[in-house]
Amino acid sequence: MEVRLEKASESDAQSIFESQVNAFLPLLDVYKDYRTNPANETIGSTITRINNPSGGLFKIVMDTTLVGAIGVFCKEETQFWISPMFILPKYQGQGIAQKAITQIEKSFPQAVSWELATIAEEKRNCYLYEKMGFTKTGLIKKINNGTTLVYFKKLL
């Protein structure tokens, strides 16, 4: 299984957007976080991420199949933020996200730190980020009665 990242272009927007909705809809159904869940975004948000001059959106491709995406933007010269990152449900649990994180870190060698947020109640996500060297920052944000965002940071 070959996993690689490809910089997305506007011609990829529709397929990435549909994949994002597919990946995040199960979480929206569970957590009802209508204001923050990427399944509720518009294709305009995808296009904005693709064209972000301080980062961009990268397709996660396994062999020849689009299996997810990872958004990156530079907060400061050496501080980067990942959002969103998703793997389509049928491809989850295969180590693809780990490979994508490793590759995105190599793509931005100037990075001294990486940050992200995820749903605290999603233990598999939290485990993944901790396994990849991220630590909780202590910052949490209550979204609703059943949903809390937890923030992670990785220093290189």
Side-chain angles (χ1 to χ4, degrees):
M1 157 182 75
E2 180 200 0
V3 174
R4 67 185 184 287
L5 300 182
E6 295 177 5
K7 185 97 162 77
S9 66
E10 280 194 36
S11 64
D12 299 312
Q14 187 65 42
S15 59
I16 292 171
F17 174 70
E18 290 170 5
S19 296
Q20 175 178 301
V21 171
N22 186 354
F24 283 101
L25 201 53
L27 295 175
L28 182 64
D29 290 342
V30 170
Y31 296 107
K32 314 290 186 214
D33 54 328
Y34 299 106
R35 289 181 302 117
T36 59
N37 188 299
N40 257 5
E41 293 180 350
T42 66
I43 193 167
S45 298
T46 303
I47 292 169
T48 298
R49 285 189 186 103
I50 288 170
N51 293 321
N52 185 339
S54 8
L57 191 60
F58 296 81
K59 299 182 293 184
I60 301 171
V61 179
M62 184 175 70
D63 299 323
T64 60
T65 305
L66 175 69
V67 297
I70 184 169
V72 174
F73 74 89
C74 183
K75 287 175 60 175
E76 292 183 22
E77 194 173 311
T78 59
Q79 296 178 320
F80 287 79
W81 182 265
I82 294 174
S83 179
M85 183 175 87
F86 62 90
I87 305 296
L88 288 167
K90 75 182 208 176
Y91 297 102
Q92 292 174 4
Q94 299 178 33
I96 296 168
Q98 293 174 58
K99 289 179 180 180
I101 291 170
T102 299
Q103 288 181 34
I104 206 69
E105 289 174 353
K106 288 178 183 173
S107 298
F108 293 88
Q110 71 274 32
V112 171
S113 68
W114 288 91
E115 297 176 66
L116 56 84
T118 193
I119 297 173
E121 293 80 5
E122 283 296 305
K123 300 303 179 199
R124 286 179 55 205
N125 288 358
C126 294
Y127 174 76
L128 164 70
Y129 298 128
E130 289 172 344
K131 183 177 179 178
M132 296 302 297
F134 288 80
T135 56
K136 292 178 182 173
T137 66
L139 179 62
I140 58 170
K141 182 178 177 185
K142 188 91 167 150
I143 301 299
N144 60 32
N145 286 337
T147 315
T148 307
L149 286 181
V150 60
Y151 289 76
F152 284 87
K153 185 172 193 171
K154 179 178 183 177
L155 295 173
L156 302 178

